[in-house]
Amino acid sequence: MASELEPDPVQEKSSDISLSWGRNVPVIWGNVPPRNKNFTGRADLLVELRRRLGSGDLDVTAVLPHALQGMGGVGKTHLAIEYAYQYQNEYDLVWWIPADQHLLVRSHLAALAGRLGLMQPSPLRVEDAAAAVLDALRRGEPYRRWLLIFDNADQPETVRSLMPHGPGHVLVTSRNRQWQGLVDALEVDVFARQESLEFLRRRVPGISTVDADQLAEELGDLPLALEQAGALQFEAGMEVSEYLDLLRTESGKVLAENRPMDYPAPVAAAWSLSVSRLKEQAPFALELLRRCAFLGPEPISLEILDRGKYILDSEFGTAMRDRLLVSRAMRELGRYALARIDPSRKTVQVHRLVQKMIGNDLSDEERRRLRAEVHQLLIAADPDDPGDPEKWPHFAKLLPHIVPSEVYTAHSVPGRQLLEHIVGYLFAVGDFTTGLAEADRALARWMADSGSHNPDVLVLQGIKADILWALGRYEEAYELRRPTLDAITDVLDADHEETLVILNGHSADLRARGDFQGARDLDEDSLDRHRRVFGDDNRTFNAANNLAIDYSMTSAYEAALELCQQTLTERRNLFGRDDHWWVAFQVAALARCERQAGQYLKAVSTAEQAYLIYLDLVGRQVLPQDHVHVLLQAKDLSVARRKAGRFTEALDLAEVVYARYTDSRQFGAGHPDTLAAGINLGNAQRVAGDAQEAADRIEKTVQRYREVLGPDHPFTYGCDLNLALIHRQLGRVEEAQQLLKHALSGLERRLGSGHHYTLTCVTNLATVRASLGATDEALVMGEGALQSFRDLLGPDHPHTLVCATNLALDMAATGHDEKAQVLTDETMRRYRRVLGESHPDVLAGLRGERLDFDFEPPPL
């Protein structure tokens, strides 16, 4: 850090005294304002500024001027002051020139003449003295290491001719963006949030992090506004909550209070002057700014504003057709730093406090009219299909402006459809928390305005139910969707498109409640209606995928596989490529169907293919890394690898996936998908030989399943199988038996004795009975289960072969050696053909070991 020596203002009037300071401080130091004791952050900007200034060779005859450019109140002046103090030892002369009044700039330059010994033998006129100073600086005599700072130089055309050309440095601070085309400009933005918090802790000792963060958010991290707010709280004892209330209700008044000592005007006054000039010199630019005031403080796509020339039947809409007028307006907004123009991204951005100030100057009628126009602009920009990833970038541009514009208050059908599409987009990209908040905001208003049976209300309630379901709040989703389905059927029709979309979600509610057969009955009827109403449409294929899930949960795995294959073909035909989001989804679903049908080796190959597609989609930023489909497919691939005998790879991926689920803002430790990932991790740990770690993981997860899905859900009973398996491996056989008997009773009651889940429980219970010495009982149980497995899954399904392997051991143990050998030989022959010679289950069977069933909760 350079010396922080601040020259005494009296001493600096004498050049003789100045010369005694030595080379480590400037010989001449003029008019530099005092250093800001609360200066915070900006380390990167200071380093970059020094790099740019220092990159010039002080021995050359002319160095390009530099500028700090940014909107009013971002701290350009304080940054220049801090630079002067930090790097004062790099200069022999530092001279500060207030440039906001351009008529006085020449006088400030002329005042340097005496310090350079240019006033002898007699004083010069101001014009001559200024010219002499510029000439001396150009020649670098008597000092080559000089720094001139032109502060607040907002009129380049009047200041540039007074800038010296020579070996030293010229630094400008200005709000006017025109400097960017004239000098090497460094843009200064508002504070980063961490800088805001650090500043407020310095300015208001004892302020809490929560209060500081809320204050920074409301003030848009603008340094000048934070200084004013901090001063009010520190000096007047005003609470943060009181200040924020005033900011919301009387922003103009509160932003005009407490001008900082080292700033010429408070926030409101600084911008009001710019707005006044804009009104006089570029009235259309002000009209453009007024519309921006009703959008968000985030970047506004110029495409949104440009649509005004097509859809707005107003003077503003007509004016938007004049491209030269619009271009001039944008330049003027940049010139007065009332907006941040980004030509490369084609956006305009207005600070939230400028928006407040603009809004406060409008009458109620003007606000109503302008807000209605902004609603029209947003509605015209509606991308329409939230399920299409190619539309997501357009939705992302609209999203920050939905709440500030209050478009959710619109009564028109197009306005409400825009909100439905926005919430649908948030659901599609996996931002469930934000989607739920936006749905609730709109529903509260719509129901108050239009009643609970309005079609738009019902459609949005259906989307909200989807989000609740995706968040794992299954019972809430059911309680909302069931009456919504009844109401929309009455209001629109049983076969209306919107009714069918909600119907499709209702089957998921039934599965989440454990009513697998009820969901299947509903979806068989629903798919027929979807095909009739939608034809070859993605909504039809979603209904088909739901039915395939129903088939698998009712043990009809071959029917599920056939439907998955058909749906994949149909999605490929619709979208035309494999790397489309929905095609990737269907490839992953096919892999799951293949695995459940017992085709483990084919399933892992398909799952690896789906994994690569999803990696590409994430790499191209089509989907986020923690998107629900990305995580689900990665978890399924881990299962598929384990079933194919690739235990190490399965465990590695299971650990990564589980960590992503638990770290995700959308999921967390108690989400059903996280629990399924936890079960997979526990099963992977068990087969990898870490029984104790697996026991801890599975026991915790089973308990959470009981809490989330309820103790009587089939998945809860299914997960009990995994826990019982661990108990038995750890020697807690009695506990395993008790758990399996309880699970068997529940599964028989919920799903029936012939369901696949029930049969796996019977087989595992037979193993426990055999280990307790009840081999005859185990034999009977195994014989019944094997016949049921053959009838249900076929003779070659790995689960049929697990049951046959164990039954052969029980036959041998009860003296039926010949039958046991025949069954063993047949089973091993089938096993080798289905899974290969080296699969762990095949090798374990050849060693005469019992095999186990574990349970993997499929997606609902």
Side-chain angles (χ1 to χ4, degrees):
M1 175 76 81
S3 167
E4 296 187 6
L5 175 63
E6 183 177 322
D8 187 283
V10 175
Q11 287 184 337
E12 72 174 315
K13 294 179 181 177
S14 168
S15 67
D16 291 336
I17 295 175
S18 297
L19 287 169
S20 68
W21 292 347
R23 294 282 294 173
N24 288 330
V25 292
V27 177
I28 297 175
W29 177 275
N31 305 320
V32 181
R35 199 172 194 174
N36 182 358
K37 67 177 183 179
N38 292 317
F39 185 84
T40 301
R42 306 302 204 187
D44 291 343
L45 280 175
L46 284 166
V47 170
E48 177 61 15
L49 178 58
R50 179 59 197 164
R51 186 191 68 79
R52 294 189 183 193
L53 285 167
S55 64
D57 185 352
L58 289 178
D59 289 329
V60 300
T61 57
V63 177
L64 183 69
H66 296 74
L68 296 172
Q69 190 277 324
M71 67 189 305
V74 294
K76 302 177 296 295
T77 296
H78 284 288
L79 186 60
I81 294 171
E82 185 65 19
Y83 175 83
Y85 279 97
Q86 278 202 30
Y87 295 100
Q88 58 181 291
N89 61 336
E90 300 291 334
Y91 300 99
D92 298 315
L93 182 159
V94 177
W95 197 255
W96 187 278
I97 301 172
D100 49 336
Q101 297 185 51
H102 67 274
L103 294 177
L104 300 179
V105 173
R106 197 179 303 273
S107 297
H108 286 294
L109 266 176
L112 182 55
R115 303 292 292 277
L116 295 175
L118 303 176
M119 303 294 283
Q120 304 299 328
S122 60
L124 301 173
R125 293 185 306 121
V126 168
E127 291 80 0
D128 295 336
V133 167
L134 291 175
D135 183 61
L137 294 174
R138 178 184 60 79
R139 291 183 287 109
E141 297 178 0
Y143 307 112
R144 300 186 64 81
R145 305 194 316 162
W146 50 259
L147 170 65
L148 262 63
I149 301 173
F150 292 80
D151 182 43
N152 204 17
D154 288 334
Q155 298 186 45
E157 63 276 10
T158 63
V159 176
R160 285 187 72 197
S161 62
L162 298 176
M163 290 181 175
H165 297 277
H169 295 155
V170 173
L171 180 60
V172 174
T173 74
S174 179
R175 291 175 295 177
N176 195 332
R177 288 181 62 88
Q178 288 182 358
W179 284 108
Q180 294 188 3
L182 302 173
V183 301
D184 180 22
L186 181 61
E187 188 164 7
V188 183
D189 203 353
V190 297
F191 274 154
R193 180 55 51 84
Q194 196 56 42
E195 290 176 323
S196 296
L197 301 183
E198 183 183 345
F199 174 83
L200 286 170
R201 292 189 191 106
R202 288 186 182 183
R203 194 67 182 84
V204 190
I207 191 172
S208 71
T209 300
V210 173
D211 282 348
D213 187 67
Q214 190 175 8
L215 196 60
E217 177 68 25
E218 289 296 326
L219 295 174
D221 297 292
L222 185 71
L224 176 58
L226 292 171
E227 167 60 29
Q228 288 181 225
L232 269 177
Q233 290 165 72
F234 181 68
E235 297 165 12
M238 182 182 290
E239 295 290 334
V240 171
S241 57
E242 182 182 357
Y243 181 89
L244 292 176
D245 286 341
L246 285 172
L247 185 64
R248 295 183 186 107
T249 57
E250 300 182 70
S251 57
K253 183 184 294 185
V254 75
L255 292 174
E257 288 290 326
N258 229 55
R259 177 181 70 84
M261 295 292 291
D262 50 4
Y263 199 82
V267 173
W271 282 332
S272 292
L273 179 61
S274 296
V275 171
S276 297
R277 289 177 179 170
L278 195 68
K279 187 175 183 179
E280 294 172 3
Q281 299 176 15
F284 177 69
L286 178 58
E287 290 302 312
L288 198 60
L289 184 63
R290 284 173 171 170
R291 272 95 185 150
C292 293
F294 289 89
L295 294 163
E298 289 78 10
I300 303 163
S301 170
L302 294 179
E303 294 176 3
I304 296 175
L305 297 172
D306 192 53
R307 293 175 189 272
K309 64 187 178 187
Y310 303 113
I311 62 162
L312 295 181
D313 185 18
S314 64
E315 291 183 9
F316 176 78
T318 302
M320 283 296 294
R321 297 169 194 161
D322 187 337
R323 300 190 65 170
L324 290 177
L325 180 63
V326 174
S327 179
R328 284 197 300 270
M330 287 296 175
R331 284 201 306 272
E332 292 301 308
L333 289 176
R335 175 184 177 189
Y336 289 108
L338 290 166
R340 185 178 183 182
I341 316 299
D342 188 335
S344 63
R345 292 184 173 85
K346 297 183 179 179
T347 62
V348 56
Q349 186 173 10
V350 182
H351 193 276
R352 66 175 71 243
L353 296 185
V354 175
Q355 292 176 319
K356 283 181 181 291
M357 183 189 67
I358 296 294
N360 288 339
D361 288 342
L362 298 171
S363 67
D364 289 343
E365 174 56 28
E366 286 176 317
R367 278 194 287 269
R368 185 202 62 76
R369 177 175 57 82
L370 292 175
R371 194 181 297 281
E373 282 197 356
V374 168
H375 288 180
Q376 288 181 266
L377 293 174
L378 291 174
I379 290 167
D382 184 357
D384 187 50
D385 182 4
D388 182 356
E390 294 183 1
K391 303 287 183 67
W392 291 351
H394 303 291
F395 278 111
K397 292 177 183 177
L398 285 180
L399 181 61
H401 309 294
I402 296 301
V403 175
S405 68
E406 297 183 8
V407 70
Y408 59 88
T409 64
H411 288 78
S412 68
V413 172
R416 290 185 170 183
Q417 285 179 338
L418 170 61
L419 251 296
E420 293 161 10
H421 294 159
I422 285 287
V423 177
Y425 154 74
L426 291 167
F427 170 70
V429 299
D431 190 354
F432 306 136
T433 304
T434 305
L436 185 60
E438 296 308 315
D440 283 338
R441 190 195 318 274
L443 283 171
R445 182 62 180 256
W446 295 2
M447 293 180 78
D449 290 345
S450 307
S452 60
H453 278 55
N454 174 268
D456 293 316
V457 169
L458 297 172
V459 168
L460 189 53
Q461 282 185 169
I463 302 172
K464 177 184 174 180
D466 287 338
I467 294 174
L468 288 170
W469 197 93
L471 285 168
R473 295 159 62 174
Y474 295 152
E475 193 59 29
E476 291 177 70
Y478 174 82
E479 293 297 337
L480 176 62
R481 187 155 23 216
R482 179 67 262 179
T484 300
L485 179 59
D486 291 340
I488 202 167
T489 300
D490 291 340
V491 171
L492 296 180
D493 185 66
D495 283 342
H496 191 279
E497 291 184 3
E498 299 294 354
T499 305
L500 292 179
V501 170
I502 295 176
L503 179 68
N504 204 24
H506 185 51
S507 66
D509 296 334
L510 296 180
R511 288 192 295 272
R513 293 167 69 85
D515 186 2
F516 300 159
Q517 187 59 49
R520 175 173 170 171
D521 294 341
L522 184 151
D523 280 332
E524 286 176 334
D525 174 64
S526 173
L527 180 56
D528 288 341
R529 291 158 66 183
H530 273 75
R531 292 198 187 280
R532 186 168 64 251
V533 173
F534 295 113
D536 290 336
D537 182 90
N538 201 48
R539 288 165 291 189
T540 301
F541 306 148
N542 286 339
N545 184 72
N546 271 358
L547 181 56
I549 294 173
D550 297 329
Y551 284 152
S552 70
M553 289 192 179
T554 52
S555 307
Y557 296 122
E558 288 298 330
L561 177 58
E562 182 180 349
L563 187 53
C564 273
Q565 291 168 332
Q566 176 186 341
T567 307
L568 175 57
T569 299
E570 290 173 327
R571 288 205 203 259
R572 278 177 171 154
N573 291 340
L574 178 65
F575 296 112
R577 62 184 200 270
D578 267 3
D579 64 346
H580 190 281
W581 174 45
W582 280 112
V583 177
F585 171 83
Q586 201 60 49
V587 173
L590 175 60
R592 193 181 315 116
C593 286
E594 288 170 340
R595 171 169 54 81
Q596 291 169 338
Q599 300 176 16
Y600 290 172
L601 301 184
K602 189 174 183 180
V604 75
S605 176
T606 305
E608 295 285 2
Q609 176 191 351
Y611 187 65
L612 291 176
I613 298 174
Y614 274 117
L615 284 179
D616 177 61
L617 291 171
V618 171
R620 290 191 285 116
Q621 298 183 326
V622 176
L623 295 176
Q625 184 173 271
D626 65 345
H627 189 276
V628 57
H629 291 176
V630 175
L631 292 180
L632 173 60
Q633 197 283 324
K635 188 270 293 183
D636 277 352
L637 175 57
S638 174
V639 177
R641 286 175 176 175
R642 175 160 47 84
K643 294 298 183 182
R646 293 156 52 183
F647 293 163
T648 302
E649 294 174 77
L651 177 58
D652 290 343
L653 185 56
E655 290 173 336
V656 171
V657 172
Y658 183 71
R660 287 182 183 168
Y661 269 115
T662 53
D663 292 343
S664 170
R665 181 173 66 94
Q666 305 297 338
F667 297 98
H671 192 283
D673 288 357
T674 306
L675 301 185
I679 287 293
N680 171 53
L681 176 56
N683 285 335
Q685 289 168 330
R686 175 182 57 80
V687 298
D690 194 346
Q692 189 56 59
E693 191 73 23
D696 295 341
R697 169 69 52 214
I698 291 174
E699 193 156 16
K700 291 175 184 176
T701 306
V702 168
Q703 181 55 42
R704 284 179 176 162
Y705 259 117
R706 293 189 182 110
E707 297 166 358
V708 173
L709 294 182
D712 198 39
H713 194 281
F715 282 10
T716 304
Y717 293 127
C719 290
D720 283 341
L721 270 67
N722 298 320
L723 185 55
L725 202 161
I726 286 290
H727 283 327
R728 182 173 61 80
Q729 286 190 352
L730 293 174
R732 302 195 289 260
V733 183
E734 290 290 349
E735 292 178 56
Q737 177 176 251
Q738 182 179 357
L739 199 56
L740 286 168
K741 285 183 175 181
H742 170 74
L744 180 59
S745 174
L747 288 170
E748 286 179 335
R749 180 167 37 80
R750 292 302 309 270
L751 302 179
S753 59
H755 193 281
H756 178 209
Y757 297 173
T758 309
L759 295 176
T760 59
C761 187
V762 170
T763 303
N764 280 2
L765 181 57
T767 293
V768 170
R769 295 301 297 152
S771 64
L772 289 173
T775 313
D776 289 335
E777 184 180 341
L779 178 64
V780 173
M781 295 172 68
E783 287 175 335
L786 179 58
Q787 187 57 52
S788 297
F789 269 122
R790 285 172 172 166
D791 294 341
L792 184 66
L793 304 181
D796 287 338
H797 193 287
H799 283 196
T800 304
L801 300 178
V802 168
C803 183
T805 299
N806 292 349
L807 177 59
L809 296 175
D810 291 333
M811 286 178 173
T814 54
H816 301 84
D817 295 336
E818 187 174 342
K819 290 175 61 178
Q821 191 59 52
V822 171
L823 182 57
T824 297
D825 292 344
E826 179 190 356
T827 302
M828 289 301 105
R829 179 176 53 80
R830 292 180 183 275
Y831 243 144
R832 291 188 185 96
R833 187 176 71 249
V834 172
L835 296 181
E837 297 282 351
S838 60
H839 192 279
D841 282 1
V842 175
L843 298 177
L846 291 172
R847 291 193 299 267
E849 298 174 8
R850 296 191 80 96
L851 304 179
D852 297 305
F853 285 117
D854 55 27
F855 175 73
E856 290 297 335
L860 291 164

